[in-house]
Amino acid sequence: MDTINEIKQKIDIVDLVGSYVSLKKAGRNYKGICPFHSENTPSFMVSPELQIFKCFGCGEAGDIFKFVEKIEGIEFSAALEQLAVKAGIKLEKKDYDPESARRKELYQINSLTAKYYHYILTKHPQGKPGLDYLTQKRKLTPETIDFFQMGYAPDTWDSLHNFLKKQGIHENEMLDAGVISEKSSGDGYIDKFRGRVVFPFKGIDGNIVGFNGRTILDREPKYLNTAETAVFHKGTFLFNLVNARIDIKKHGAVVVEGQMDVISAYQDGIRNMVASSGTALAENQLKILQRYTNDLTFCFDADSAGVNAVYRAVEIAEKLGFNIKVALIPAPYKDIDEVLKAEPEKAKIAIRDAVDVYDFYISSTLKANSKESALGKKIILEALVPVFSKINNPVIVDHYSKMLATELGLSEDTVTTMFKGGTLGNYVGPEDDQKIPLLSRDNPEGYFLALLFKADIDIMREYAYKMDVEDFLNPIVVNIYEALVAYLKEDRKSFNIKQVIKKAEEGHHDNISELYLWDFDGIIEVESPQILEREIESVFKRIKKDSAKRAVKALTEKIKVAELEKDWDLVLKLTKKVEKLKKSFL
């Protein structure tokens, strides 16, 4: 174990902060007057579970080292020295660059893990299921498998754990690397990726920073990533950048969602492709990519989730000034990997002939909506207004106004007026959904999650399962809710916020911590289980009611279209749905 973690294990943040600040118990947390700014009402919260502090007044936050740095006005090295003395730990010279030593240990563990799993896949009988999957189902050659150092984790409890232990690796170091997990019940450890084909994640320096495991035994989750470690940060990592960066400099970057897309493409000679590895593309990932190119082609799945992912990615990329195109997946295939297997030349053409991003917006919107009725045309235009109203270049606006006017049989003036924001109406975009602070009773979605975090795990599970992803508008809340549900489905007997944080996207870790630390003093008495459950029930009903209203509104619009098209069977079907929603929630 490195010195930093050893100090953290020996010093409890509540005891440390409590020696400077008077703290009072507040549910699972502690609160007090912030020592970093002037305040009369306590807004300074400390979590013994997360071992962090957060002031909701001035925004200061961090761990024991950050607290000592801030309150003593000293640098990290001095805080390290001070806390080491407090913990009774003697510092060695290397401890003054502790992160470097820690990273070196993790790289060693990851390298040994990759070699072990690659050996099992290619040389050991236990690897046959994984090898059959990659060579027969995925059609990969031995050369491709070797190049990406793919492996297979046997469906056994602790084969990797035993192997690493023989190499002199301690369990705490294996846990830090994320290659094993503690058993949920009883003592002991289990291999994290068992029963999965394993894809090593290589950093730009060639070191292995983490792994992705794809189940071949129909288990959930389908894909499992290494959790955040000192060397792996999914918000900044791009799969295959280490191999693709030279080709990206020459030809621009093709960005896909999964590593199998990249691997299949590489085997077929497409060498400028990277993947976000199953997580939403983040701004920091694109900033890293911008070191090599300003030309991007997005090639995401052809389903609605893939289209929405393109919309989100384009919004980020446009802010950074990229030249953006979108590769359209030809029917009937769902992703580029399927095209590559069936018709590799067609895949190359799709990437080569990628369309301008605005052509993609129009194409995907026309595909999703009927343009035959006046209402359908209105829906199409209103869907495109948020995109085109942000364009300042009059040439681009004029070009697409003419194109869409012809497509819809409308006058250019009508389309241009709408594109200039003239009839945007009550459109609410994703950014508007997030304007209300997450920590506010006016934001029922964030308030609901914060209340659940205070509840008994059985109550938490009951209300989490009664809610649906579609009930939330705020994408931050959606990600946190999905992480919470994934955690609860693991048949937990008690609640551990750290495990929920591990399951969420990196960009939302602080949001979860803040919701968990939120002090309800003066709002509701969370110490009373009955009062807390009544409040949860009240907010639950409010969210469900709002969700039902949105659904009814959307169905009503569809009914109008169906009536105009005289599709009476569809009218009846949609009307029944509306009646059911009204009866249940309105």
Side-chain angles (χ1 to χ4, degrees):
M1 186 189 307
D2 63 63
T3 306
I4 299 286
N5 281 329
E6 193 176 355
I7 291 172
K8 284 184 174 181
Q9 282 203 0
K10 292 195 174 184
I11 298 177
D12 180 73
I13 194 166
V14 176
D15 294 334
L16 175 69
V17 175
S19 65
Y20 294 89
V21 179
S22 178
L23 296 174
K24 292 177 66 176
K25 195 85 165 67
R28 294 189 177 109
N29 305 308
Y30 290 81
K31 67 178 177 180
I33 298 291
C34 179
F36 305 129
H37 81 290
S38 178
E39 66 175 10
N40 296 318
T41 303
S43 60
F44 184 84
M45 303 297 294
V46 181
S47 168
E49 290 175 74
L50 297 176
Q51 289 291 299
I52 61 170
F53 70 90
K54 166 77 178 183
C55 176
F56 291 96
C58 67
E60 286 292 339
D63 59 8
I64 56 172
F65 293 96
K66 186 71 176 178
F67 181 81
V68 171
E69 285 178 56
K70 182 71 179 174
I71 203 158
E72 300 285 359
I74 56 179
E75 298 294 324
F76 173 79
S77 57
L80 174 65
E81 203 167 318
Q82 190 178 118
L83 289 170
V85 171
K86 191 175 181 67
I89 294 171
K90 186 177 179 181
L91 292 177
E92 297 177 16
K93 189 174 179 180
K94 72 179 181 65
D95 293 322
Y96 290 94
D97 186 18
E99 290 305 310
S100 176
R102 187 183 182 197
R103 286 194 294 270
K104 191 173 180 181
E105 287 175 354
L106 295 181
Y107 289 145
Q108 180 196 10
I109 294 168
N110 288 340
S111 177
L112 287 169
T113 299
K115 287 175 182 175
Y116 175 75
Y117 283 150
H118 184 65
Y119 171 81
I120 294 293
L121 177 73
T122 57
K123 301 286 195 296
H124 197 281
Q126 281 188 315
K128 189 176 186 304
L131 195 60
D132 287 346
Y133 170 83
L134 291 173
T135 56
Q136 296 174 24
K137 187 171 182 178
R138 292 296 191 171
K139 309 298 182 187
L140 298 182
T141 65
E143 292 76 17
T144 300
I145 290 169
D146 285 340
F147 181 82
F148 286 97
Q149 206 177 346
M150 285 177 272
Y152 180 67
D155 190 31
T156 56
W157 288 108
D158 55 5
S159 64
L160 175 69
H161 168 262
N162 293 336
F163 167 75
L164 291 176
K165 201 166 183 180
K166 288 177 183 176
Q167 308 304 310
I169 308 296
H170 193 274
E171 276 92 357
N172 284 331
E173 295 170 334
M174 298 181 211
L175 287 169
D176 283 347
V179 296
I180 65 169
S181 303
E182 292 179 295
K183 286 184 177 178
S184 56
S185 59
D187 296 329
Y189 305 91
I190 54 175
D191 294 349
K192 179 169 182 174
F193 298 106
R194 60 194 184 283
R196 294 172 182 271
V197 172
V198 178
F199 305 88
F201 286 167
K202 285 188 179 180
I204 203 68
D205 59 359
N207 283 310
I208 296 173
V209 297
F211 302 89
N212 173 274
R214 200 276 188 202
T215 182
I216 59 171
L217 302 175
D218 293 324
R219 290 176 180 162
E220 292 295 333
K222 188 175 181 180
Y223 291 95
L224 185 63
N225 273 358
T226 294
E228 293 287 307
T229 71
V231 297
F232 177 66
H233 309 287
K234 62 184 177 183
T236 58
F237 177 78
L238 286 164
F239 181 77
N240 196 49
L241 183 58
V242 60
N243 304 313
R245 62 189 190 277
I246 303 302
D247 288 277
I248 284 173
K249 282 184 177 180
K250 296 177 185 175
H251 310 296
V254 179
V255 182
V256 294
E257 292 181 87
Q259 56 266 3
M260 273 309 309
D261 297 326
V262 170
I263 294 167
S264 295
Y266 194 93
Q267 184 168 282
D268 279 298
I270 302 171
R271 304 293 167 85
N272 61 328
M273 190 176 284
V274 294
S276 57
S277 296
T279 61
L281 195 65
E283 182 173 337
N284 285 335
Q285 289 172 307
L286 289 178
K287 283 181 177 177
I288 289 170
L289 204 50
Q290 205 162 33
R291 298 172 189 171
Y292 306 96
T293 186
N294 272 315
D295 299 319
L296 283 186
T297 298
F298 291 116
C299 184
F300 290 175
D301 294 358
D303 58 16
S304 59
V307 172
N308 289 332
V310 172
Y311 274 59
R312 290 191 298 270
V314 166
E315 186 172 353
I316 299 169
E318 282 186 322
K319 290 177 183 176
L320 296 174
F322 280 98
N323 305 315
I324 309 163
K325 290 191 173 183
V326 180
L328 303 177
I329 304 297
Y333 308 109
K334 67 175 184 179
D335 57 35
I336 196 68
D337 182 45
E338 282 192 355
V339 189
L340 284 162
K341 285 183 178 59
E343 299 180 77
E345 284 308 310
K346 188 173 279 191
K348 293 176 183 177
I349 291 169
I351 293 170
R352 185 196 68 196
D353 296 341
V355 302
D356 184 271
V357 64
Y358 298 112
D359 290 301
F360 167 76
Y361 281 136
I362 290 176
S363 171
S364 60
T365 305
L366 289 172
K367 193 181 294 184
N369 300 280
S370 169
K371 64 178 182 178
E372 302 307 316
S373 67
L375 180 60
K377 293 174 183 179
K378 176 177 178 290
I379 291 170
I380 289 167
L381 277 172
E382 287 186 338
L384 292 170
V385 163
V387 175
F388 287 91
S389 63
K390 295 176 184 176
I391 301 173
N392 294 319
N393 190 314
V395 175
I396 294 176
V397 173
D398 183 65
H399 173 81
Y400 287 103
S401 294
K402 288 177 179 176
M403 176 193 292
L404 199 56
T406 301
E407 190 74 36
L408 298 178
L410 299 172
S411 71
E412 288 178 25
D413 286 344
T414 299
V415 178
T416 303
T417 299
M418 290 195 73
F419 278 359
K420 288 181 178 179
T423 53
L424 184 57
N426 294 322
Y427 172 82
V428 178
E431 292 179 356
D432 298 301
D433 297 336
Q434 300 176 57
K435 285 180 181 176
I436 301 174
L438 201 60
L439 301 185
S440 167
R441 287 189 79 184
D442 293 330
N443 183 338
E445 299 181 4
Y447 184 50
F448 176 73
L449 288 180
L451 288 168
L452 283 190
F453 287 156
K454 307 290 184 188
D456 173 88
I457 194 165
D458 292 329
I459 297 296
M460 193 184 297
R461 187 175 278 115
E462 176 190 348
Y463 282 93
Y465 288 176
K466 287 198 293 187
M467 201 66 83
D468 296 302
V469 170
E470 294 77 13
D471 294 324
F472 301 108
L473 282 172
N474 192 318
I476 295 174
V477 173
V478 169
N479 184 260
I480 297 173
Y481 168 75
E482 289 178 329
L484 176 62
V485 170
Y487 168 80
L488 293 172
K489 284 184 177 178
E490 293 177 352
D491 195 26
R492 304 282 183 171
K493 304 301 181 188
S494 60
F495 185 62
N496 187 330
I497 191 67
K498 290 181 183 178
Q499 298 301 320
V500 179
I501 289 173
K502 284 182 180 179
K503 292 182 180 296
E505 292 180 10
E506 182 188 16
H508 300 319
H509 290 185
D510 288 345
N511 296 125
I512 298 175
S513 297
E514 290 184 4
L515 286 171
Y516 185 72
L517 283 166
W518 191 5
D519 178 30
F520 288 94
D521 191 26
I523 300 175
I524 179 179
E525 179 52 67
V526 296
E527 300 301 324
S528 167
Q530 294 80 12
I531 294 174
L532 178 58
E533 187 174 356
R534 282 202 299 270
E535 186 75 357
I536 291 171
E537 175 70 16
S538 173
V539 182
F540 166 78
K541 287 179 177 177
R542 179 180 170 188
I543 294 172
K544 277 291 188 183
K545 186 174 182 179
D546 290 343
S547 176
K549 283 180 179 178
R550 293 194 301 271
V552 167
K553 185 177 179 182
L555 288 169
T556 302
E557 293 292 334
K558 289 182 179 180
I559 288 171
K560 290 177 183 176
V561 174
E563 286 174 341
L564 287 169
E565 295 176 352
K566 303 189 185 309
D567 187 343
W568 306 118
D569 288 340
L570 182 58
V571 169
L572 181 60
K573 182 180 177 182
L574 295 174
T575 302
K576 286 181 178 178
K577 285 185 177 181
V578 168
E579 289 172 352
K580 185 177 179 182
L581 280 168
K582 287 182 176 179
K583 187 176 180 180
S584 300
F585 300 108
L586 301 178

